[in-house]
Amino acid sequence: TEAQSSKTKAELAKLLQNGETRDKAKRQWAEQEVSLRYALNSLQSRLQMLQELAEKYEGYYPGVRALLLAAKKTNSPVSGICGVMAELLTVQSGCEVALDAALAGSLQNIVVKTEKEARLAIEYLKNNKSGRVTLLPLDAIKPRENPNIKKVLSMAGVVGRGIDLVQ
């Protein structure tokens, strides 16, 4: 009767309200999905752009870029390149700024396996008028010892030798 009818109307109103709440939640989720898809597309585009810049060695000195691009080519006269110092070094956390300041332009020096490969790389740059570069042949690099190293390492604020702060 009337009590039962009221109860049924209340249940129906509750169901309609639940349906509206569910529909509102669906709309919010749909809006969030669109927003996240937009953000994902934006990040994917940025990643693609950065990968293309890295593949073309944008930001490197002309000679460095020329050698690295030449080394990628099949049958290239340039071989034995290990990489650029900036790519080869892994810096201990907290020392990045200090080592960046200490190495500066040297971060674009190219490490090669042998002096012979360094000479061929220089010849390639000259023949193609592609710029200049500093090459570090592994078979010719000799470590130097500083006779004052213990004194320097004991000074206030000195964290350590640069060579000990990188891998």
Side-chain angles (χ1 to χ4, degrees):
T1 44
E2 196 169 308
Q4 200 173 18
S5 176
S6 267
K7 186 178 175 186
T8 304
K9 284 180 185 177
E11 287 175 358
L12 183 57
K14 189 176 177 181
L15 288 172
L16 287 172
Q17 186 178 8
N18 286 346
E20 288 172 7
T21 302
R22 188 178 59 244
D23 290 345
K24 183 178 178 182
K26 278 183 180 179
R27 281 192 302 277
Q28 288 175 338
W29 281 107
E31 289 171 8
Q32 190 173 10
E33 179 184 16
V34 168
S35 177
L36 289 172
R37 284 186 190 277
Y38 177 78
L40 176 63
N41 287 336
S42 177
L43 289 171
Q44 286 174 330
S45 294
R46 181 162 168 72
L47 175 62
Q48 182 179 354
M49 179 195 68
L50 291 172
Q51 286 173 330
E52 288 171 6
L53 288 174
E55 286 174 20
K56 295 176 185 175
Y57 297 103
E58 293 294 330
Y60 284 100
Y61 299 143
V64 173
R65 182 179 28 236
L67 275 183
L68 294 174
L69 289 172
K72 280 184 164 183
K73 295 178 183 173
T74 310
N75 299 323
S76 172
V78 178
S79 64
I81 292 181
C82 301
V84 178
M85 289 282 290
E87 294 174 350
L88 298 173
L89 295 177
T90 303
V91 181
Q92 183 177 321
S93 182
C95 299
E96 299 90 351
V97 174
L99 284 168
D100 186 46
L103 295 174
S106 299
L107 289 170
Q108 290 198 28
N109 291 355
I110 296 178
V111 177
V112 294
K113 292 179 183 174
T114 66
E115 281 186 272
K116 180 182 176 189
E117 289 163 328
R119 282 193 295 279
L120 291 172
I122 292 168
E123 190 176 315
Y124 174 85
L125 288 173
K126 282 182 183 178
N127 292 341
N128 292 285
K129 296 181 174 121
S130 297
R132 304 169 77 158
V133 66
T134 300
L135 297 162
L136 304 171
L138 290 174
D139 66 346
I141 295 174
K142 306 265 188 288
R144 291 187 301 200
E145 276 301 320
N146 182 338
N148 300 318
I149 193 68
K150 287 183 181 177
K151 181 179 175 184
V152 172
L153 289 173
S154 66
M155 296 172 94
V158 175
V159 176
R161 297 181 320 157
I163 188 102
D164 299 327
L165 303 173
V166 298
Q167 288 184 337

